[in-house]
Amino acid sequence: MTTLLHIDASARPGRSGIDPHGSHTRRLSARFVERWRAARPADLIDYLDVGQAPPAHVTGAWIQAAFTPAAVRAPWMHEALAESERLVDQLVASDLIVVGLPMYNFGVPAQFKAYIDNIVRVGRTFGFDRARGEVPYWPLLADAGKRLVLLGARGDFGYGQGQRIAHLNHTEASVRSAFGYIGIDEVHEIAVEYDEFGGEQLAQSLREADLAVDRLADQLSASHLQLITENA
Ligand SMILES: Cc1cc2nc3c(=O)[nH]c(=O)nc-3n(C[C@H](O)[C@H](O)[C@H](O)COP(=O)(O)O)c2cc1C
């Protein structure tokens, strides 16, 4: 059985195509999850809406607590890390993470950055030991078969690899860096463009993204079945 963690990061509450002014990334992530559920109804699906309820940003207390070894933390330190511990536990329990991830000012929404800052945790998702020399850190979630799907949306167009303004796109790249650092380096990306243009350009981009989402959900659910059979 797979555990799928579905995360939405758009500040827009509804879904495009259903709700007025709805979010494209919520539309894509919901589409992926519905298709996955239809193919694999027994799988567990967990949901986190950081767009509507962002995790707390890191504070001085959080940093002091996170860099104090767990065995000697004071009670207030456990309190400061409580939300982060829950988010890390949820991530550790997940096999497939599906994120609806808009581009805000060329990067991820602050809501999702707060999530990343809470799950990249020394001793929990990466290790650190100065005695190791030049590369003192190592990923703790590597070799766990975890996969990440980023379902994006942008107002402009041409942000894809090798395209006109790819150099301005720090959205997916920054998430790849952070998740790669903790050991999750199988990443799949699909994005809608032309939100600011609307009309046929947006409609075409949405059609292509919907189809790509269906193909990816089918491909990943089929390859997951194969993995289970191989390991049986
Ligand atoms: C605060 C904010 C910042 C944005 N910054 C960019 C940007 O840098 N580049 C871009 O192409 N579109 C930008 N957009 C447009 C969004 O990426 C676009 O509306 C996208 O569809 C949002 O995702 P959603 O539909 O899931 O809400 C921005 C939108 C907002 C609300």
Side-chain angles (χ1 to χ4, degrees):
M1 194 168 54
T2 297
T3 297
L4 187 159
L5 173 57
H6 174 192
I7 305 177
D8 277 317
S10 174
R12 300 206 269 190
R15 288 188 217 164
S16 81
I18 299 176
D19 304 296
H21 311 293
S23 149
H24 300 311
T25 57
R26 286 179 187 275
R27 165 206 185 112
L28 297 184
S29 67
R31 187 177 180 104
F32 185 102
V33 171
E34 278 159 23
R35 195 150 177 115
W36 188 276
R37 202 195 304 271
R40 300 179 49 84
D43 285 351
L44 292 176
I45 297 181
D46 207 351
Y47 182 62
L48 189 62
D49 191 341
V50 302
Q52 295 297 301
H57 290 293
V58 302
T59 60
W62 187 102
I63 294 167
Q64 196 183 336
F67 288 91
T68 299
V72 295
R73 276 181 200 139
W76 68 264
M77 292 178 167
H78 291 291
E79 181 60 31
L81 292 177
E83 184 179 29
S84 168
E85 299 288 9
R86 280 196 302 277
L87 293 172
V88 171
D89 289 344
Q90 184 183 47
L91 180 67
V92 168
S94 305
D95 305 294
L96 175 64
I97 304 108
V98 178
V99 187
L101 184 71
M103 172 184 280
Y104 285 176
N105 299 311
F106 309 103
V108 301
Q111 293 92 324
F112 191 71
K113 184 58 167 57
Y115 174 77
I116 289 177
D117 290 342
N118 274 280
I119 53 105
V120 178
R121 278 275 312 279
V122 65
R124 296 246 29 218
T125 56
F126 73 94
F128 186 88
D129 181 0
R130 275 199 193 100
R132 289 166 72 106
E134 237 173 69
V135 186
Y137 38 76
W138 68 97
L140 292 180
L141 302 188
D143 304 322
K146 293 187 192 300
R147 301 186 285 188
L148 175 65
V149 172
L150 301 177
L151 302 173
R154 307 138 190 172
D156 202 352
F157 71 99
Y159 287 108
Q161 219 183 1
Q163 294 178 354
R164 185 179 59 101
I165 48 173
H167 61 288
L168 297 179
N169 183 358
H170 305 290
T171 312
E172 287 82 1
S174 67
V175 178
R176 276 181 181 269
S177 299
F179 276 71
Y181 182 70
I182 62 175
I184 302 176
D185 45 26
E186 181 180 331
V187 184
H188 302 267
E189 297 174 16
I190 296 168
V192 171
E193 298 198 303
Y194 296 101
D195 183 46
E196 306 292 356
F197 291 72
E200 181 48 30
Q201 288 167 304
L202 173 61
Q204 172 72 16
S205 185
L206 283 166
R207 279 194 297 273
E208 287 171 7
D210 281 346
L211 281 177
V213 163
D214 292 351
R215 275 197 302 269
L216 182 62
D218 293 350
Q219 178 205 320
L220 294 184
S221 55
S223 69
H224 187 79
L225 272 182
Q226 199 184 337
L227 272 180
I228 289 172
T229 317
E230 280 168 7
N231 292 334

